[in-house]
Amino acid sequence: MITAGFGFRHEARIESLLELYIRLCKTHLGEGDVNALTTHTKKSQEDVFIELSQRTGIAIIAINEAEIASQDTINHSDLSMQLYKTGSLAEATALAAAGANSRLLGGRIVSQDRLATCAFAKGDN
């Protein structure tokens, strides 16, 4: 299973999320299809994230704070650490959703407008 984890600010637009998703799909083309979009439970209900799911046809997996905090991430954001107890919300949610034996397919990337991040993970789920 491959998951696309996202972190984004409330003011992020669909273009930011799609930019990241497309860039990582091109980078990891040989790894397989993305099976789920994932983020923090509260963010999963944001209109922009629901729109991303609708446009891509990929289901959302919402990840709670305890699952997020238990993941080892590559990157470290002070804001992410303060809000979610993890170095990268995108990386942590991707790992949590991918399940057992999950690994990141590289660190998170940041959108050009700096309002969103995304990371892909692959696991046994």
Side-chain angles (χ1 to χ4, degrees):
M1 171 179 222
I2 296 177
T3 59
F6 285 85
F8 56 92
R9 295 181 188 246
H10 180 72
E11 60 271 18
R13 298 178 357 172
I14 188 65
E15 292 81 9
S16 300
L17 301 183
L18 284 170
E19 168 204 334
L20 297 172
Y21 176 76
I22 291 167
R23 281 174 48 199
L24 283 177
C25 281
K26 288 179 182 176
T27 300
H28 302 295
L29 191 61
E31 297 285 343
D33 295 332
V34 174
N35 305 104
L37 304 175
T38 183
T39 192
H40 184 276
T41 302
K42 289 181 184 175
K43 288 185 174 292
S44 72
Q45 299 169 23
E46 297 257 356
D47 290 342
V48 70
F49 202 66
I50 293 168
E51 183 177 353
L52 178 66
S53 174
Q54 291 169 340
R55 285 200 187 189
T56 60
I58 301 171
I60 293 171
I61 296 176
I63 306 296
N64 67 44
E65 291 168 10
E67 289 177 286
I68 290 168
S70 70
Q71 304 302 316
D72 291 323
T73 62
I74 295 171
N75 286 284
H76 178 87
S77 157
D78 290 338
L79 181 60
S80 185
M81 188 59 75
Q82 178 185 0
L83 295 174
Y84 304 106
K85 310 292 186 263
T86 187
S88 166
L89 182 60
E91 292 174 10
T93 57
L95 287 165
N101 301 313
S102 62
R103 65 178 174 83
L104 289 169
L105 301 178
R108 63 149 169 82
I109 61 172
V110 181
S111 62
Q112 290 182 8
D113 62 10
R114 309 210 42 85
L115 296 177
T117 60
C118 182
F120 281 16
K122 188 172 188 175
D124 292 343
N125 269 1

